[in-house]
């Protein structure tokens, strides 16, 4: 297999099975029938591995990586399934921080091309079975599985985990999950299984009530992670990570009760070595110190509110690069943007990327000092040129903006 072969396989995967609406065709497939057929075809590898299931609107990626790092520090071989990737497709499927081999992806795509006619998986369904099969083949001790979208009908919801968690519930993907917090909470609570402990990290009473009610229905223990008191810290530096740490601690406590050997030292060092152990980037990630350049993948209203709250703690003048995808409600985002900054609105380099010209009428009504750029890199180079000594740059608004930026500028 050559690098070209791998790239062609991944390109084919995206073209054949996009996971979002393209040209009016909705590629998101609600329901578990298709993933069940797919898992059956490959011998149900998800039933042959131990798993932990983590859902939520924001924080599930950070919590998943914290948990993986702690378990790695404890000597376990840990599979980790996250989405989306920032730079390369193989980031979605890792073992102890190492991406799955490109050869494995290439070989699995060839198997996909030979599937029976009655199995037509979506992009996410295929990547999910790919992760299950890889973790089974590599004989992991435990696999941490992040929910892709929602919960109840998500492809990952075919697993029977040791424990599950819902980090929080916020408005996002309303076109698919529901228009209210309560509707979305019910979808996310769909990952709760019979007799399987559920950890809740949401601070609002109505969301707690919905999750707890579902837990009672499923005879599942309900643990409220917001009640945990801790002064432990992580190398993931966003202020919002304090909430995710509590969820990770609750998950660890449950796994300890199920026989996992995890010491206090493992716990402490695991939280402080998330970047090192899992290669996790993009969450309040300090790209450079001169000029200070930070990127963060927070992309819905709640996530962006947390991001800008922390950004406002910096006294430096700011150059902010933002881009969004088509389903983002820009009119909800613009009011929360700090007005004392220079903005560079950009188009993410994907088919779902929204060109800033599409929402410039909203920008004109704001008090923002802004310019429009056709690409993330163009916006970044303009910001870097304009950024004076002791000023800072921030890049965000979408996973795809951060991914595009890192792909072109990060040297690992």
């Amino acid at each position: 297999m050559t690098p070209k072969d791998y790239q062609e396989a991944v390109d084919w995967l995206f073209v054949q099975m996009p996971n979002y609406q393209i040209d009016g065709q909705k590629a998101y497939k609600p329901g578990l029938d298709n993933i069940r057929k797919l898992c059956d075809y490959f011998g149900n590898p998800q039933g042959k591995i131990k798993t932990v299931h983590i859902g939520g609107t924001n924080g599930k990626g950070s919590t998943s990586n914290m948990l993986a790092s702690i378990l790695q520090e404890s000597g376990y071989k840990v599979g980790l399934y996250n989405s989306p990737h920032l730079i390369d497709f193989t980031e979605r499927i890792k073992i102890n921080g190492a991406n799955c081999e490109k050869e494995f992806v290439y070989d699995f795509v060839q198997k996909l091309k030979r599937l029976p006619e009655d199995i037509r998986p979506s992009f996410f369904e295929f990547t999910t079975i790919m992760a299950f099969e890889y973790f089974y083949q590599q004989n992991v001790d435990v696999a941490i599985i992040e929910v892709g979208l929602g919960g109840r009908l998500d492809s990952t919801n075919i697993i029977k985990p040791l424990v599950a968690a819902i980090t929080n519930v916020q408005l996002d993907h309303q076109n698919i999950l529901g228009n209210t917090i309560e509707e979305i909470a019910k979808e996310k609570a769909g990952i709760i299984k019979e007799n399987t402990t559920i950890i809740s990290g949401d601070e609002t009473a109505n969301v707690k009530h919905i999750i707890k009610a579902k837990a009672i229905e499923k005879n599942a223990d309900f643990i409220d992670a917001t009640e945990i008191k801790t002064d432990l810290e992580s190398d993931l530096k966003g202020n919002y990570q304090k909430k995710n740490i509590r969820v990770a601690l609750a998950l660890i406590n449950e796994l300890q009760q199920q026989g996992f050997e995890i010491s206090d030292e493992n716990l402490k060092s695991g939280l402080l070595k998330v970047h090192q152990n899992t290669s996790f980037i993009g969450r309040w990630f300090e790209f450079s110190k001169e000029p200070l350049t930070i990127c963060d993948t927070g992309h819905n209203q709640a996530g962006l509110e947390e991001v800008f709250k922390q950004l406002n703690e910096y006294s430096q003048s700011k150059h902010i690069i933002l881009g969004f995808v088509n389903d983002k409600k820009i009119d909800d985002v613009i009011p929360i943007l700090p007005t004392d900054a220079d903005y560079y609105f950009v188009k993410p380099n994907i088919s779902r990327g929204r060109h800033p010209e599409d929402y410039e009428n909203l920008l004109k009504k704001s008090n923002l000092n802004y310019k429009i750029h056709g690409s993330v890199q163009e916006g970044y180079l303009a910001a870097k040129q304009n950024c004076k000594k002791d000023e800072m740059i921030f890049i965000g608004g979408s996973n795809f903006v951060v991914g595009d930026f890192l792909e072109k500028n990060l040297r690992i």
Side-chain angles (χ1 to χ4, degrees):
M1 184 207 73
T2 66
K4 182 180 178 182
D5 292 333
Y6 165 75
Q7 193 56 53
E8 287 178 351
V10 173
D11 290 344
W12 183 89
L13 180 60
F14 277 102
V15 170
Q16 297 296 320
M17 286 164 283
N19 59 343
Y20 282 93
Q21 184 169 325
I22 291 180
D23 297 330
Q25 298 297 314
K26 217 171 192 180
Y28 171 76
K29 295 184 177 182
L32 301 178
D33 290 346
N34 215 38
I35 187 66
R36 288 194 179 102
K37 288 181 182 179
L38 196 55
C39 287
D40 284 343
Y41 181 82
F42 285 100
N44 288 303
Q46 80 285 356
K48 303 171 185 175
I49 54 176
K50 294 179 179 179
T51 58
V52 174
H53 207 189
I54 301 181
T57 304
N58 297 313
K60 55 185 180 290
S62 296
T63 303
S64 298
N65 279 266
M66 286 178 184
L67 180 60
S69 180
I70 294 166
L71 289 170
Q72 286 171 228
E73 286 292 300
S74 306
Y76 292 100
K77 186 175 184 180
V78 186
L80 181 61
Y81 179 47
N82 291 136
S83 63
H85 63 271
L86 291 180
I87 299 174
D88 189 82
F89 177 85
T90 55
E91 295 169 32
R92 293 169 178 260
I93 305 170
K94 296 179 180 179
I95 293 179
N96 284 10
N99 296 359
C100 72
E101 297 83 1
K102 292 182 177 181
E103 288 83 0
F104 173 79
V105 174
Y106 172 80
D107 290 342
F108 217 83
V109 168
Q110 309 319 304
K111 294 178 182 179
L112 173 68
K113 292 178 179 179
R114 298 192 295 269
L115 283 175
E117 286 294 322
D118 65 329
I119 305 178
R120 283 293 170 263
S122 69
F123 173 86
F124 192 74
E125 286 167 340
F126 177 61
T127 57
T128 299
I129 184 61
M130 184 188 294
F132 292 156
E133 180 65 16
Y134 185 71
F135 296 149
Y136 168 62
Q137 287 184 15
Q138 297 296 318
N139 194 31
V140 298
D141 294 314
V142 62
I144 301 166
I145 308 297
E146 179 189 337
V147 173
L149 180 63
R152 180 176 64 93
L153 300 177
D154 188 74
S155 301
T156 64
N157 205 28
I158 196 170
I159 63 175
K160 295 180 179 178
L162 302 173
V163 58
I166 298 170
T167 56
N168 57 52
V169 178
Q170 303 287 347
L171 291 174
D172 200 16
H173 300 295
Q174 291 100 307
N175 58 323
I176 295 173
L177 302 179
N179 292 315
T180 67
I181 292 289
E182 290 76 16
E183 289 175 336
I184 296 173
K186 289 177 182 177
E187 287 297 310
K188 294 189 181 296
I191 68 171
I192 301 173
K193 303 292 192 304
E194 293 283 347
N195 305 306
T196 303
T197 297
I198 181 70
I199 312 293
S200 172
D202 199 287
E203 297 175 333
T204 57
N206 56 338
V207 171
K208 286 184 186 181
H209 175 75
I210 290 169
I211 295 173
K212 191 170 185 178
K214 190 66 174 181
I216 292 171
E217 177 188 325
K218 294 291 185 178
N219 195 34
D221 289 338
F222 172 87
I223 296 176
D224 185 355
T226 67
E227 296 178 353
I228 294 175
K229 308 296 182 185
T230 181
D231 57 1
L232 288 173
E233 297 182 353
S234 171
D235 61 337
L236 303 183
K237 291 303 181 184
N239 290 344
Y240 51 82
Q241 298 295 1
K242 295 173 183 176
K243 301 174 184 178
N244 298 327
I245 288 173
R246 291 197 288 266
V247 177
L249 292 178
L251 285 163
I252 288 296
N253 182 61
E254 177 62 25
L255 290 174
Q256 287 173 322
Q257 293 185 39
Q258 295 189 34
F260 282 74
E261 296 183 2
I262 304 161
S263 69
D264 290 344
E265 186 56 39
N266 296 149
L267 187 58
K268 184 177 180 180
S269 61
L271 286 173
L272 291 173
K273 294 165 66 175
V274 180
H275 285 304
Q276 177 182 328
N277 286 342
T278 72
S279 303
F280 186 56
I281 57 175
R283 276 63 168 185
W284 208 258
F285 177 66
E286 187 175 296
F287 172 78
S288 70
K289 291 186 180 297
E290 294 184 1
L292 178 60
T293 302
I294 293 171
C295 54
D296 192 280
T297 56
H299 56 276
N300 50 48
Q301 184 177 355
L304 287 170
E305 284 177 348
E306 292 280 358
V307 164
F308 289 117
K309 181 180 178 181
Q310 183 162 356
L311 197 59
N312 283 333
E313 296 176 4
Y314 290 76
S315 60
Q316 297 100 313
S317 295
K318 302 169 184 67
H319 298 263
I320 299 177
I321 302 158
L322 292 177
F324 307 99
V325 293
N326 286 329
D327 62 348
K328 200 56 55 190
K329 291 188 174 182
I330 310 296
D331 50 349
D332 289 340
V333 173
I334 290 177
I336 68 175
L337 300 180
T339 55
D340 57 341
D342 291 325
Y343 284 88
Y344 307 76
F345 288 96
V346 300
K347 180 187 180 300
N349 186 29
I350 58 166
S351 58
R352 293 171 56 224
R354 189 170 181 184
H355 200 290
E357 291 176 353
D358 293 345
Y359 53 87
E360 190 174 12
N361 61 320
L362 296 173
L363 295 176
K364 288 178 178 178
K365 296 175 184 177
S366 71
N367 294 318
L368 302 178
N369 180 33
Y370 72 91
K371 289 187 177 178
I372 285 176
H373 298 274
S375 71
V376 174
Q377 188 67 0
E378 181 184 312
Y380 169 62
L381 293 177
K384 191 175 181 182
Q385 183 176 3
N386 295 334
C387 188
K388 299 175 184 176
K389 188 177 180 180
D390 298 328
E391 296 183 343
M392 68 180 292
I393 296 172
F394 176 82
I395 302 123
S398 166
N399 286 285
F400 304 103
V401 170
V402 174
D404 195 353
F405 166 73
L406 293 176
E407 181 180 12
K408 290 180 173 61
N409 299 284
L410 186 65
R411 299 290 179 265
I412 300 177

